[in-house]
Amino acid sequence: MLFIELLKTSWQSLRVNPKRSFLTMIGIVIGIAAVITIIALGNGVKAKILKELQATNSGKQTTEINYYPNDSNAASQGFTEDDLTQIKNNFSATLSSVKFKRDTKNINNTVFLGNETRTATLSLVKGGNQHYDIDVGRNIAKSDNVINNQVALLNKQLAIKEYGTEENALDSALTVGDDTYKVVGIFTKPTDDYNVDFLLPQRTYLYSTSAQNGSIIKLTFNKGVKVSAASKKIVSFLKKNGSSRKTGSYEYTDMGSLLSGISKVISSLTYFISAIAGISLFIAGIGVMNMMYISVSERTQEIGIRLAVGASARSIMLQFLLEAIMLTVFGGLLGFLIGWGTAALISLALPFKAIVTVSSFLLAFGVSSLVGIVFGLLPAKQAANKNLIDILR
Amino acid sequence: MSMIDIKNVNKFYGQGESSFHVLHDINLSIAEGEFVSIMGQSGSGKSTLINIIGFLDDEFEGKYFYYKHPIHEYTRAQFSKLRNQNVGFVFQNFKLINTLSVGDNVGLPLLYAGEKRQAIKSRVREVLAAVGLSNAGEKKPKNLSGGQQQRVSIARAIVTNPKFLIADEPTGALDSQTSREIMTLFKELNQKNKTTIIMVTHDEKVALQSERIVHILDGRILSDEKVGV
Ligand SMILES: Nc1ncnc2c1ncn2[C@@H]1O[C@H](COP(=O)(O)OP(=O)(O)O)[C@@H](O)[C@H]1O
Ligand SMILES: [Mg+2]
């Protein structure tokens, strides 16, 4: 008999008793769903850790230290060139480099405008931006960045407040740090990141001395350094020696240890849930076996008839074995989908996404087939070994 | 030409102390194209004998040659193939699979012979027409009358064009009118298709429609004679 016909025969038999087939499947569904859920979460946190503690191409890891001013209007951004030099000198053994992590949006800075020194917010633009409208004057062009042209755009509200009309504000001077920019345009209707007092050309600004500060620094460590401990040491160094230690605090968010904490919880949960799933699958397997034994004894006449018209013992065995496998594999696939969905739902509440891989799918498929084979084999053998003469009596 | 040659066959049910001797030194030859009835009291061993003849029972003592092949030496797997390719069965209680359609029941032997679905379909249509049930293919056996169900089982028996049919009390569960129709069908198969038929029956009237009657009593052949001679 052709294998495909055997498959069809088994499928037909399962459909004769859909309720019983479904109930038998439930244990498999739950077991597989639990395993897939925990594996998907585990994969997710591992991927996140890799990304967070991203090693550079040479295997070096990086971390960041933030500065939080006590007074949110404070002009100081926290880190100066001087701080960087100090860190470099004191930690040259572990550090490979220290840089500002450049903010380009919503930067707080002290500016001099219309005879008055004030704290203002500014964002940097690369030129030709469409995130706001120009009311008067011109936009900052790409070419302004190329030649480090010191030009600025002024917010319409601020322009009217300071100069009465937009036109009056044009060509006025704006001093940021040591550099003076000429206002060439007035902008309005900005989108979120551009809802600031000034817009400056990015390259021009970053070139200037006033940019030699920052609120975040990026540390790159040499290979093999314990980055978390080393970062903490640098934070305590800054607390003693940092230029802005009196006006704010330095903080290192140990994303790595946070994530590895979650990861540890998930790995220990993985063992626990795998154990429970194992028990669940075992019991489900017994259920499958039980159902198959019942099915074999209910269908004794059918077995006899099939044997009488020429079925080999082997094809009878395969028919019943395939029934068991189909049952558990359907259960496994359903469990896979449910597990995937559950993991996705749970990860909404966690700082990472659940990841389902091909190997998770193969695991679900493999384990459920295995359960079908292991627990279907004995009933199938019993079916195949029935005595034809006894059945036909 | 001799098709079936049974030599000194003995059959025991059970083993050791409790074993029960059912068939005693049976010798029987059946030629191609014959229509043989086996008669005897209930419990005399008719079914036991016909099951051995039809390759359903491979546990017997003695020798069985089928077209000179020593069947008594065959393995269980060889018996499956032999059944599938050489013999069709008709039982008193029809033995149809109730969860399958009539068409699927009839096509079952071809499925196990490894035929393709398409070929099976057309052959099934053919034999259902031959037994007068052209429109019953999609129905479930339960929805047919006894006579119709027996026709289905005859269709299944002849679907592989077997060398011979064995029928164990094929009319036992049918009224006399339906019995006559079934017997007409058998005679037609025997005369037109030259199918050898070996049939067990209680009913003298039914037996008289065959060509040869073998009487069995307590597992021994009592008589073996041509009808009407
Ligand atoms: N599978 C079996 N196991 C044990 N005894 C059996 C079996 N089949 C039949 N017998 C016994 O063998 C004897 C002959 O049975 P059977 O061939 O069915 O008789 P018949 O068909 O002539 O009525 C009976 O006494 C019956 O009880
Ligand atoms: Mg009998």
Side-chain angles (χ1 to χ4, degrees):
Chain A
M1 187 181 193
L2 298 167
F3 188 73
I4 181 83
E5 296 299 340
L6 269 175
L7 278 178
K8 279 185 196 160
T9 302
S10 301
W11 171 239
Q12 262 175 343
S13 309
L14 283 177
R15 281 203 347 202
V16 168
N17 235 321
K19 250 186 225 159
R20 182 162 83 190
S21 301
F22 180 74
L23 288 174
T24 310
M25 257 166 44
I26 286 181
I28 309 278
V29 173
I30 292 175
I32 298 285
V35 173
I36 294 301
T37 304
I38 196 72
I39 288 178
L41 292 176
N43 285 343
V45 74
K46 270 181 210 136
K48 178 76 174 177
I49 286 173
L50 267 183
K51 206 174 147 203
E52 280 300 326
L53 301 181
Q54 206 156 46
T56 60
N57 290 339
S58 53
K60 293 171 177 171
Q61 293 194 337
T62 64
T63 61
E64 288 173 3
I65 294 177
N66 287 47
Y67 171 77
Y68 298 102
N70 295 333
D71 173 5
S72 59
N73 290 322
S76 164
Q77 293 196 40
F79 297 102
T80 61
E81 195 66 34
D82 212 40
D83 288 325
L84 296 200
T85 314
Q86 281 206 54
I87 294 171
K88 255 180 226 159
N89 293 341
N90 282 282
F91 296 92
S92 56
T94 52
L95 272 178
S96 139
S97 80
V98 187
K99 280 184 197 149
F100 291 113
K101 186 177 178 192
R102 295 291 181 200
D103 281 334
T104 56
K105 304 288 176 298
N106 290 307
I107 306 165
N108 285 316
N109 218 329
T110 312
V111 301
F112 184 77
L113 174 75
N115 300 325
E116 205 182 315
T117 302
R118 68 183 77 209
T119 305
T121 55
L122 56 93
S123 284
L124 305 178
V125 295
K126 290 187 172 145
N129 286 44
Q130 304 287 320
H131 301 287
Y132 45 81
D133 293 342
I134 296 294
D135 245 19
V136 180
R138 68 167 177 93
N139 196 356
I140 292 174
K142 288 207 173 87
S143 58
D144 290 322
N145 268 314
V146 174
I147 57 168
N148 286 340
N149 207 4
Q150 293 185 318
V151 292
L153 299 180
L154 184 58
N155 192 312
K156 180 180 173 181
Q157 279 158 341
L158 190 63
I160 290 172
K161 197 175 145 204
E162 290 296 322
Y163 298 98
T165 67
E166 296 176 59
E167 280 75 14
N168 285 347
L170 278 185
D171 292 338
S172 59
L174 163 72
T175 308
V176 182
D178 296 336
D179 295 281
T180 302
Y181 296 81
K182 188 172 105 178
V183 175
V184 294
I186 309 296
F187 70 95
T188 142
K189 295 184 195 152
T191 57
D192 266 359
D193 278 344
Y194 299 90
N195 197 3
V196 290
D197 299 327
F198 299 101
L199 296 173
L200 300 179
Q202 179 163 324
R203 189 159 170 270
T204 311
Y205 176 81
L206 293 179
Y207 241 68
S208 68
T209 48
S210 61
Q212 299 305 314
N213 303 299
S215 63
I216 304 173
I217 55 170
K218 191 170 173 186
L219 308 167
T220 306
F221 292 91
N222 290 328
K223 246 183 180 170
V225 172
K226 293 224 165 74
V227 297
S228 164
S231 303
K232 277 178 196 154
K233 263 188 207 154
I234 294 175
V235 167
S236 42
F237 173 81
L238 282 168
K239 279 179 179 159
K240 274 181 226 137
N241 308 300
S243 59
S244 307
R245 63 185 183 277
K246 300 216 173 78
T247 55
S249 60
Y250 301 96
E251 265 166 45
Y252 158 59
T253 309
D254 195 348
M255 206 46 167
S257 75
L258 183 79
L259 286 170
S260 74
I262 297 180
S263 169
K264 260 180 211 145
V265 171
I266 289 184
S267 353
S268 54
L269 265 181
T270 303
Y271 288 118
F272 177 68
I273 289 183
S274 301
I276 298 214
I279 294 169
S280 156
L281 286 173
F282 183 78
I283 294 173
I286 303 272
V288 169
M289 198 165 179
N290 190 33
M291 177 193 138
M292 290 312 297
Y293 270 128
I294 293 172
S295 177
V296 168
S297 84
E298 278 177 355
R299 285 153 64 195
T300 300
Q301 280 300 315
E302 177 191 328
I303 294 167
I305 293 165
R306 288 180 184 276
L307 285 171
V309 300
S312 61
R314 190 179 147 274
S315 67
I316 296 288
M317 192 192 89
L318 272 179
Q319 180 192 333
F320 281 89
L321 189 58
L322 282 174
E323 259 181 69
I325 295 173
M326 260 186 207
L327 201 67
T328 55
V329 166
F330 280 132
L333 296 185
L334 195 60
F336 172 78
L337 292 179
I338 290 176
W340 189 347
T342 310
L345 270 182
I346 292 177
S347 71
L348 289 181
L350 294 172
F352 54 84
K353 270 190 194 145
I355 296 176
V356 171
T357 60
V358 176
S359 57
S360 304
F361 175 82
L362 292 178
L363 183 80
F365 188 79
V367 167
S368 53
S369 330
L370 193 72
V371 170
I373 293 171
V374 167
F375 293 94
L377 200 60
L378 283 177
K381 274 195 168 156
Q382 197 191 53
N385 289 333
K386 290 224 176 224
N387 185 309
L388 178 54
I389 297 303
D390 287 339
I391 298 175
L392 293 178
R393 268 186 93 187
Chain B
M1 178 191 170
S2 179
M3 176 178 173
I4 290 164
D5 267 313
I6 287 176
K7 297 217 152 58
N8 290 318
V9 161
N10 283 274
K11 170 74 188 177
F12 299 85
Y13 279 122
Q15 272 148 7
E17 290 279 303
S18 61
S19 100
F20 175 50
H21 199 167
V22 193
L23 295 180
H24 300 261
D25 298 318
I26 299 289
N27 286 289
L28 184 66
S29 285
I30 294 168
E32 254 179 10
E34 277 196 274
F35 188 171
V36 184
S37 292
I38 297 174
M39 294 193 71
Q41 286 173 359
S42 186
S44 57
K46 305 181 296 292
S47 296
T48 305
L49 176 59
I50 208 175
N51 286 346
I52 291 173
I53 294 173
F55 313 129
L56 291 169
D57 192 353
D58 54 0
E59 292 171 347
F60 57 88
E61 288 172 16
K63 294 190 169 145
Y64 178 0
F65 295 96
Y66 175 66
Y67 286 111
K68 306 239 161 25
H69 296 292
I71 304 306
H72 48 277
E73 290 171 1
Y74 276 27
T75 62
R76 209 181 156 197
Q78 285 175 302
F79 266 84
S80 299
K81 212 168 168 197
L82 209 57
R83 277 202 288 277
N84 184 252
Q85 293 174 354
N86 293 279
V87 54
F89 307 87
V90 180
F91 298 97
Q92 177 176 355
N93 46 8
F94 324 132
K95 299 274 184 208
L96 299 173
I97 299 177
N98 290 319
T99 53
L100 298 184
S101 71
V102 163
D104 285 347
N105 265 289
V106 173
L108 208 55
L110 293 177
L111 215 53
Y112 285 111
E115 301 269 351
K116 297 256 162 61
R117 279 265 148 162
Q118 221 40 49
I120 293 176
K121 250 190 194 162
S122 63
R123 174 67 184 147
V124 164
R125 226 175 293 131
E126 222 173 284
V127 287
L128 277 178
V131 299
L133 286 174
S134 290
N135 299 320
E138 299 299 318
K139 290 183 185 158
K140 285 279 155 74
K142 276 273 158 67
N143 300 329
L144 300 181
S145 71
Q148 287 174 317
Q149 288 189 52
Q150 197 58 299
R151 284 170 187 273
V152 173
S153 88
I154 291 169
R156 181 183 62 192
I158 61 175
V159 78
T160 54
N161 279 318
K163 288 271 186 277
F164 67 105
L165 291 187
I166 61 169
D168 196 344
E169 311 208 25
T171 59
L174 305 175
D175 61 66
S176 55
Q177 170 61 29
T178 319
S179 294
R180 268 196 296 280
E181 287 168 19
I182 296 294
M183 284 315 295
T184 311
L185 192 55
F186 273 138
K187 276 199 284 192
E188 214 177 276
L189 284 172
N190 178 244
Q191 279 156 21
K192 279 197 193 147
N193 300 13
K194 306 288 175 230
T195 309
T196 310
I197 298 176
I198 302 153
M199 173 181 71
V200 166
T201 181
H202 263 113
D203 190 336
E204 187 86 37
K205 266 189 250 156
V206 169
L208 284 172
Q209 308 208 35
S210 65
E211 300 165 343
R212 174 181 164 193
I213 299 177
V214 176
H215 274 276
I216 291 192
L217 185 64
D218 294 337
R220 291 180 177 83
I221 293 182
L222 206 64
S223 68
D224 181 350
E225 50 209 11
K226 295 257 184 234
V227 172
V229 174

